[in-house]
Amino acid sequence: MGLDYGDKTIGVAVSDEFGWTAQGLETIRRKKPEDDLARLEQIAKEYSVTEIVLGLPKNMNGTIGPRGEICKEFALTLQNKFELAVHLWDERLTTVSAQRTLIEADVSRKKRKLVIDKMAAVLILQGFLDYKSKR
């Protein structure tokens, strides 16, 4: 399962059973942390998730800023809650790339706003899957 963790939303993607391709699943509108975790737990069970890939926002120079620290804390929360491996994946420019892809597909601004985080989660997960398959 791939996650794009933001202040207001969590983009969610899952892979096929072979771990070859990532598909966007949903965008969770964040409410309370326990509600967010409950929804992620439902998804993990429904899709038999064995690993989680969490986007780690880094600065362009590779350092980790305040948002990255928040994501690292969330990774620990996920690890403790689900007892699964949680991989932090450099997500620099994934939202920009997702935005560009949606613009090229002529998706309206209103619709882009609804799916951008899910699309970013797809790019995060697909990057990790591609990396894993080459190792």
Side-chain angles (χ1 to χ4, degrees):
M1 176 166 65
L3 303 175
D4 180 41
Y5 183 67
D7 290 328
K8 296 178 183 173
T9 61
I10 303 171
V12 183
V14 293
S15 73
D16 63 290
E17 290 181 21
F18 300 108
W20 293 340
T21 61
Q23 295 88 35
L25 196 59
E26 70 179 77
T27 300
I28 299 170
R29 298 270 163 232
R30 297 198 49 214
K31 297 172 186 133
K32 296 184 287 188
E34 53 272 13
D35 292 346
D36 303 340
L37 290 171
R39 180 62 190 133
L40 289 171
E41 187 172 28
Q42 287 175 331
I43 293 168
K45 285 180 181 170
E46 183 178 342
Y47 289 89
S48 303
V49 169
T50 58
E51 296 177 83
I52 298 172
V53 182
L54 178 64
L56 177 65
K58 291 184 176 182
N59 298 320
M60 290 311 287
N61 66 3
T63 61
I64 296 174
R67 184 80 217 145
E69 293 298 332
I70 291 168
C71 284
K72 287 170 77 173
E73 287 177 32
F74 186 61
L76 287 174
T77 300
L78 292 170
Q79 221 165 11
N80 292 332
K81 171 83 174 159
F82 302 123
E83 298 179 350
L84 295 173
V86 177
H87 308 280
L88 292 169
W89 188 254
D90 185 352
E91 69 165 34
R92 279 181 283 188
L93 302 178
T94 54
T95 301
V96 172
S97 181
Q99 191 82 272
R100 197 171 291 142
T101 301
L102 292 168
I103 289 169
E104 287 173 9
D106 204 27
V107 176
S108 72
R109 184 181 301 248
K110 187 177 179 182
K111 287 183 182 173
R112 279 197 311 262
K113 198 172 185 177
L114 298 173
V115 299
I116 192 72
D117 298 314
K118 176 171 61 172
M119 183 78 162
V122 168
L123 294 172
I124 290 164
L125 182 55
Q126 191 63 58
F128 179 79
L129 295 172
D130 292 347
Y131 169 78
K132 227 173 132 176
S133 73
K134 291 176 183 163
R135 288 182 57 197

